[in-house]
Amino acid sequence: MRLVLYYLILFGSTYVTSTYGPRQRAQMTGDILLGGLFPIHFGVASKDQDLAARPESTQCVRFNFRGFRWLQAMIFAIDEINNSSSLLPNITLGYRIFDTCNTVSKALEATLSFVAQNKIDSLNLDEFCNCTDHIPSTIAVVGAAGSAVSTAVANLLGLFYIPQISYASSSRLLSNKNQYKSFMRTIPTDEYQATAMADIIEHFEWNWVIAVASDDDYGRPGIEKFEKEMEERDICIHLNELISQYFEEHEIRALADRIENSTAKVIVVFASGPDIEPLIKEMVRRNITDRIWLASEAWASSSLIAKQEYLDVVVGTIGFALKAGSIPGFKEFLQHVQPKKDSHNEFVREFWEETFNCYLEDSPRLSESENGSTSFRPLCTGEEDITSVETPYLDYTHLRISYNVYVAVYAIAQALQDILTCTPGRGLFANNTCADIKKMEAWQVLKQLRHLNYTNSMGIKINFAENADLAANYTIINWQRSAEDSSVLFEEVGYYNMHSKRGAKLFIDKTKILWNGYSAEVPFSNCSEDCEPGTRKGIIDSMPTCCFECTECSDGEYSNHKDASVCTKCPNNSWSTGNHTFCFLKEIEFLSWTEPFGIALAICAVLGVIFTAFVMGVFVKFRNTPIVKATNRELSYVLLFSLMCCFSSSLIFIGEPQDWMCRLRQPAFGISFVLCISCILVKTNRVLLVFEAKIPTSLHRKWWGLNLQFLLVFLFTFVQVMICVVWLYNAPPSSYRNHDIDEIIFITCNEGSVMALGFLIGYTCLLAAICFFFAFKSRKLPENFTEAKFITFSMLIFFIVWISFIPAYFSTYGKFVSAVEVIAILASSFGLLACIFFNKVYIILFKPSRNTIEEVRCRTAAHAFKVAAKATLKHGTVSRKKSNSIGGSSASTPSSSISLKTNGNDCDPTSGKHMPRVSFGSGTVTLSLSFEESRRSSLM
């Protein structure tokens, strides 16, 4: 059974071993064989297979000069190693290199030859056939270029643990070591490139872009990472499209329509040159030249796109190119290529024909030309001067992918050198053994590569350990038009280093960039126009966040830069300017001593104090006159003092409020007014009680002595003092800055407790109400004693002022609160002063004739007789009603009339006697009343 299996494998592998994969290849034997996969062609010819006959292998089309140069870099590196005396001495490296045609199918066709050869070697068929001349196993593969191709190749090579080192596959999916066990690379992963692209878009302040990606394992993961980076930066992708070189024409036209109709001017492309070329052709046909292309490294320097016929569309492109390296001697190696010398490299013949647009004598395509299947070309000898023709093949000024190939070959050679120089007991294999370089297998090379860690001649650290990716260092290039021949120039304008510090990763010299080939101004690619300072971005319904309308900042907010997402609120002590671009310090306001209103109130308060002091001076000077005595001069002094305190307390409300002022002004005002109202109340009630008691007795004199009057005033005032003490203890007022008003900070007093203020004013008003009651009741007493009418008026003024004060207090703000209270204090104080004292001062100073004892006696007697007459009249009316009811007669009774004449003629100032006449009916009774000095004293 084992023998049958061997024959089956041998028979199934006959075609592979005899042809070693695809017919066209570069091949050289050696002790150790390396495989190579390069895109020598850009694609394959599209051909429908109807399966009417045996399917033929698809033909590769469009020669790739850069891909051929990459192949030459591998051959050059192997030649250098074979000629080296220090690296792999006495060992010759061979190679088998195939063309992938930039397609998965061709790459797998070539990869199968590597796998099949390794499988045959592992069967050990020496006992069945003479296999001494068979080609040795491929122990490592360099390639492939595209990520999609490398993904397919990696899946196959990984099954047999054949190491694969890619020089251009940057898809982040290939970093998964669990899925791609044998895959390694000498190029940074796309994950960093997507971040770099997003950083560039943010750097130029674009927020509205188009994303185009190849529909493969390179484009899809790259654009997916790019989308995430854009979301983190709040940048919007207007269109997100996939593309392929195999798209139908109508699909390309539809994609071009969407791009042309888009308002986004920046197109980010994650694709290879062959994939993006159909779209570029359509854009050229439509002459769409106002777009900026952002190219990934796969086509950033692609010779397929950097053509003169495409330049009007792609000029100004910003591309990410890999960091260039230096390969000494490579330039001369490229220049010495010739078909006759390089017979081991079958791609040289096609390269020569494509370079010089000719056919070699023995070319198979010559017969096709003669048959008319291909265009006519002249013959060439194969000895033409390669340096006389300008092709991408000889563009060795910036060796990027070629250098990656060079590094990959040397990495494999270094791993083989480690195996060769391995010391037994220190190896990587079981029991620390070493691999035998002559019987080495691919999996052993893979093991050695995973532990490889060295620094190459360029100072780059090579490490293929798990989760180890190369440092992401990109050169940023700008496609510009050459002034000499209008060809494409790749101008280096910056760099990107992923592992630099934040803020130093990206550097771009904007002065070197030419946008669209001629402009130095950065193109605009935003959904909406920039919002100027003083505005913010407002959301538009059903639109992406990048599309917005500019909304002016609200009052008290500002924005000092363009495209502000939110307006910043000004600090409490500041306010925004009219254009909302910055904040200025608010004006601080309070009832100041220097402003006209404050000066006017202060003058009124000072005048009040002066007037009160003047009245007190008058009362002191004329303290022994009847009017002063009749007004209870001791209480009048206290009353005048309290009025002076009232006027003075209003001054505390003026000026910048401090904590001590806030705690002093309300108690000072409240206590002063209570002291004032208490004096008026005691004075009024004392005289009223005396006159209500028809004849003053010793009991009245006892209860209403001077000491008791002061005691009552003290008690009334003490209650107010206690209210203030409780207030100051529990909720003391304090200075407060009110920031609620635009552009102004009002410094006011926070009263601490509005309820306490209500109690303070309420208690004062309660005493005023009681005082008003007694004053109204005593309004007909002799005005020499209580000035009842004036006290009534003063209390009315007091009530009007403080009732008006309540709504005014709660409806005003800022400094006007203090002003309202000062006005209320001054108005009520002037009302009390004027109503109670000004009349007396007028009599004392200007009517001294009325300030005599006789005048007082006359008015007192007149009041007494008025009371007696009213009592007599009332008594007579009651008696008549009783007699009429008893007699039962309806006869009328002669009416009686009482008249009291108390005109001035009835008083005799010389005699000091008052003789009023009281008439009853037709008769007149004359009464005389005299007062002793002691009695008058008791009343006064």
Side-chain angles (χ1 to χ4, degrees), residues 564-630:
S565 299
V566 294
C567 295
T568 306
K569 190 174 182 180
C570 293
N572 283 339
N573 63 341
S574 303
W575 193 251
S576 59
T577 57
N579 57 8
H580 302 281
T581 54
F582 65 92
C583 296
F584 63 91
L585 292 178
K586 289 183 179 181
E587 182 181 355
I588 296 178
E589 284 197 4
F590 50 86
L591 191 57
S592 172
W593 292 100
T594 58
E595 65 177 295
F597 194 34
I599 294 173
L601 293 177
I603 290 174
C604 291
V606 172
L607 289 177
V609 173
I610 293 173
F611 290 156
T612 306
F614 173 75
V615 173
M616 181 176 284
V618 171
F619 268 54
V620 171
K621 183 177 181 181
F622 298 94
R623 59 186 176 276
N624 294 320
T625 60
I627 286 183
V628 175
K629 291 182 177 180

Side-chain angles (χ1 to χ4, degrees), residues 608-625 628 633 636-641 643-644 833 837-838 840-842 844-845 851:
V609 173
I610 293 173
F611 290 156
T612 306
F614 173 75
V615 173
M616 181 176 284
V618 171
F619 268 54
V620 171
K621 183 177 181 181
F622 298 94
R623 59 186 176 276
N624 294 320
T625 60
V628 175
R633 59 187 174 190
S636 295
Y637 296 155
V638 177
L639 176 58
L640 289 168
F641 172 76
L643 283 174
M644 292 178 66
L833 179 64
F837 291 103
F838 280 7
K840 295 301 177 186
V841 172
Y842 174 77
I844 293 171
L845 296 180
N851 188 14

Side-chain angles (χ1 to χ4, degrees), residues 241-303:
E241 304 287 346
L242 294 176
I243 196 172
S244 171
Q245 61 178 313
Y246 303 111
F247 267 18
E248 300 291 339
E249 287 188 8
H250 69 89
E251 294 178 295
I252 296 296
R253 286 196 297 269
L255 175 57
D257 286 338
R258 291 191 291 273
I259 292 175
E260 187 175 10
N261 295 329
S262 173
T263 56
K265 301 300 180 182
V266 175
I267 306 174
V268 180
V269 181
F270 258 96
S272 62
D275 285 327
I276 196 63
E277 186 186 22
L279 177 61
I280 298 295
K281 284 183 177 179
E282 182 63 21
M283 300 286 278
V284 171
R285 188 185 70 82
R286 300 187 182 202
N287 195 29
I288 303 174
T289 60
D290 61 341
R291 299 298 195 270
I292 297 298
W293 301 82
L294 191 57
S296 65
E297 46 78 25
W299 72 281
S301 56
S302 172
S303 59

